Amino acid sequence: MPCRPRIHRDAVDLTTAGGWYPVGVNTPERGRREVEHTADWELEVWGPDLAALVEEAALGMYELMGVEISDESRRHHRLEIRADDPEQLVVSFLDELLFLADSEDLAFDGFLLDIDGTQLVAHLEGGFIISRRKEIKAVTYHRLDVADSGSGLRTNVIFDV
C-alpha cells in the first residue's frame, strides 16, 4: 500500500467559540486553541492518541506563526525521533519542524505519524513557505505535561517568541 499522508484541515478553533465548552458538552475528539499568555504563546492541544496530539501541536504552531505554504512546491520529508517520554517527543518533533522552517523554508500540512512508545516516524507533506507573519524562537518544556483526559490526551505547549 503506498504511503499517503493524511491531510487534516478541519481542526476545531475554539478561540472563536469562546474557549472551553460548557460542562456537560462534549469537546471535539481532537483540536487546538490558543491560550492567553503574558509574554509567550501558549497552545492547548488534545487528541485521542499521541499521534493526533503531536499533529495538532504542529498545525497549531504553524497557525500561530501565520505560515502560508505554497501549493506549487509540494515536498515529502521523513523524520525519525526517539525520546525518553511523550513530552520530549512533542518538543523534539516541533523543534525539528521549526528547524526545517528556518533552515529550508519548509512547512507541512500533511502528516502520517507512526508512534511506537516514544519513537516517532513521520512522513510529512508540505511545501515552501510563502510567508509567515510571526517568528517562534523555541518550543519550551515549561508546564508541558501530556496527560490522559479520560477521552484521550491533552497538553499545553508554550512557545518562546
Side-chain angles (χ1 to χ4, degrees):
M1 176 188 266
C3 177
R4 192 174 140 94
R6 177 173 48 88
I7 298 177
H8 177 72
R9 291 193 172 96
D10 58 348
V12 176
D13 179 7
L14 294 180
T15 57
T16 59
W20 288 100
Y21 282 93
V23 174
V25 175
N26 293 332
T27 59
E29 182 178 86
R30 61 186 290 159
R32 58 192 176 272
R33 73 178 183 104
E34 185 176 0
V35 178
E36 280 192 41
H37 195 280
T38 54
D40 295 318
W41 288 339
E42 185 172 352
L43 187 67
E44 179 185 19
V45 293
W46 62 93
D49 55 32
L50 189 54
L53 184 87
V54 169
E55 180 178 343
E56 290 296 329
L59 291 168
M61 180 180 74
Y62 288 136
E63 285 175 2
L64 289 174
M65 294 169 59
V67 167
E68 184 181 349
I69 302 171
S70 170
D71 284 332
E72 297 171 10
S73 66
R74 301 307 284 177
R75 300 281 188 269
H76 294 268
H77 195 82
R78 183 179 185 276
L79 288 176
E80 189 170 328
I81 296 171
R82 293 179 190 269
D84 294 330
D85 54 44
E87 291 80 11
Q88 185 181 25
L89 191 70
V90 170
V91 170
S92 295
F93 182 68
L94 296 176
D95 276 343
E96 286 294 323
L97 296 182
L98 276 180
F99 175 77
L100 290 168
D102 291 340
S103 65
E104 299 182 31
D105 280 331
L106 286 175
F108 304 96
D109 54 6
F111 298 84
L112 181 61
L113 305 176
D114 180 31
I115 298 178
D116 183 11
T118 53
Q119 179 176 348
L120 177 146
V121 176
H123 297 274
L124 309 171
E125 181 182 352
F128 288 111
I129 297 172
I130 298 171
S131 67
R132 78 179 103 178
R133 292 186 308 272
K134 302 173 185 174
E135 295 292 326
I136 289 178
K137 293 181 203 172
V139 184
T140 74
Y141 284 96
H142 181 66
R143 294 189 342 200
L144 182 66
D145 179 32
V146 175
D148 187 346
S149 68
S151 61
L153 298 176
R154 183 177 293 267
T155 195
N156 285 42
V157 181
I158 297 177
F159 300 95
D160 182 22
V161 293

